[in-house]
Amino acid sequence: MGTNRVSASTPPPLLRRYTDLTSVIDMLFHKRLTLLDPTSWDDKNDSFFIEHYRECSDYKSVLALCLSTVGETYHHWRVFCGHASGVCIAFHRQPLLDVIDAAEGFRHGEVEYLRLDEIAKMSPRLNRLPFIKRYAFRHELEYRLIFESKTDTAPTRAVPIPLTALQGITLSPWMPEQLLDATRTALNAIPGCESVTITRSQLISNSLWMQNAERSLRGEPLVGRTPVE
């Protein structure tokens, strides 16, 4: 249990999980996060390290769940849930990690991105392997939850979470406008979720950004609260 790696900089206040509507419904209805077997991941380089760690540590099971430490980006949306049913769940960092710290068999930490020559020069410690990833993925700035057991062989593991750890839910920027109200209503209808904030991402179509972009081209003052990007 406990934090696997402490960052030298101030930790971000939020951790984000990119997934789909079915996973969000399960999370909200059961008030839980579910860790899965990494062998199902697309990135086999990543799952190779975790499987090697499992075998060398004599664990029956090592499961994982990936979070992001940065605000929404096009990459995160497109790669992890690039469809109309995609969802980004934002958690308050410390309340979420407090729950993980209290759960038996769980640990967590920032992912470290290494080049192959760096691994060759100084092999990472065995207990760091679940938190090592190829340097090419460094822009993901991932934070990872791990469950490990020497007896449990189940392919999934859930950890209960309070809804107070939830900052809000952002629906896919590709969700049609016509489906937004019904989706929001359905999620808020789940017991205990009446006050959960649910919005749709404006990452690829922000009317205020476009309005101010036009004003800036004309040399006029910007209006409203506009992203600086």
Side-chain angles (χ1 to χ4, degrees), residues 37-48:
D37 186 347
T39 58
S40 64
W41 291 354
D42 283 341
D43 185 3
K44 301 308 177 185
N45 302 293
D46 197 1
S47 57
F48 168 81

Side-chain angles (χ1 to χ4, degrees), residues 22-97:
T22 55
S23 295
V24 170
I25 292 170
D26 180 85
M27 183 201 76
L28 294 178
F29 188 83
H30 295 286
K31 317 297 187 286
R32 68 186 182 187
L33 276 179
T34 303
L35 283 69
L36 303 176
D37 186 347
T39 58
S40 64
W41 291 354
D42 283 341
D43 185 3
K44 301 308 177 185
N45 302 293
D46 197 1
S47 57
F48 168 81
F49 264 153
I50 297 181
E51 181 63 14
H52 181 73
Y53 167 74
R54 186 192 66 78
E55 292 177 352
C56 291
S57 301
D58 197 29
Y59 283 117
K60 295 293 184 182
S61 176
V62 177
L63 308 176
L65 183 140
C66 304
L67 303 162
S68 174
T69 62
V70 295
E72 65 171 1
T73 69
Y74 184 84
H75 170 88
H76 285 92
W77 277 114
R78 179 57 76 183
V79 172
F80 298 112
C81 51
H83 44 74
S85 297
V87 179
C88 176
I89 314 162
F91 295 97
H92 296 293
R93 178 191 180 98
Q94 203 52 56
L96 175 64
L97 297 186

Side-chain angles (χ1 to χ4, degrees), residues 89-108:
I89 314 162
F91 295 97
H92 296 293
R93 178 191 180 98
Q94 203 52 56
L96 175 64
L97 297 186
D98 286 345
V99 170
I100 302 302
D101 284 335
E104 186 67 30
F106 287 82
R107 61 190 180 115
H108 56 86

Side-chain angles (χ1 to χ4, degrees), residues 204-217 226:
I204 61 173
S205 182
N206 187 301
S207 58
L208 183 59
W209 193 96
M210 290 186 284
Q211 176 188 353
N212 277 292
E214 185 177 359
R215 292 177 68 90
S216 68
L217 293 174
T226 307

Side-chain angles (χ1 to χ4, degrees), residues 87-207:
V87 179
C88 176
I89 314 162
F91 295 97
H92 296 293
R93 178 191 180 98
Q94 203 52 56
L96 175 64
L97 297 186
D98 286 345
V99 170
I100 302 302
D101 284 335
E104 186 67 30
F106 287 82
R107 61 190 180 115
H108 56 86
E110 294 178 0
V111 169
E112 186 175 3
Y113 300 89
L114 299 178
R115 297 182 177 89
L116 191 58
D117 60 339
E118 292 177 315
I119 296 175
K121 289 177 183 176
M122 186 175 66
S123 180
R125 299 190 310 275
L126 181 61
N127 74 334
R128 282 293 303 151
L129 291 185
F131 302 91
I132 299 296
K133 199 166 183 176
R134 287 183 62 195
Y135 187 75
F137 293 87
R138 62 193 181 280
H139 54 280
E140 293 179 356
L141 295 173
E142 185 181 326
Y143 199 94
R144 189 167 289 179
L145 310 183
I146 296 292
F147 171 77
E148 47 200 24
S149 174
K150 292 185 180 292
T151 57
D152 192 342
T153 59
T156 66
R157 182 74 173 195
V159 55
I161 58 165
L163 289 181
T164 52
L166 187 63
Q167 187 263 353
I169 292 174
T170 304
L171 303 175
S172 171
W174 295 284
M175 174 174 283
E177 184 73 32
Q178 300 91 324
L179 301 181
L180 180 59
D181 286 343
T183 303
R184 183 189 290 117
T185 299
L187 294 179
N188 283 143
I190 296 174
C193 300
E194 298 84 0
S195 61
V196 173
T197 301
I198 302 172
T199 60
R200 187 181 70 160
S201 172
Q202 296 186 9
L203 187 68
I204 61 173
S205 182
N206 187 301
S207 58

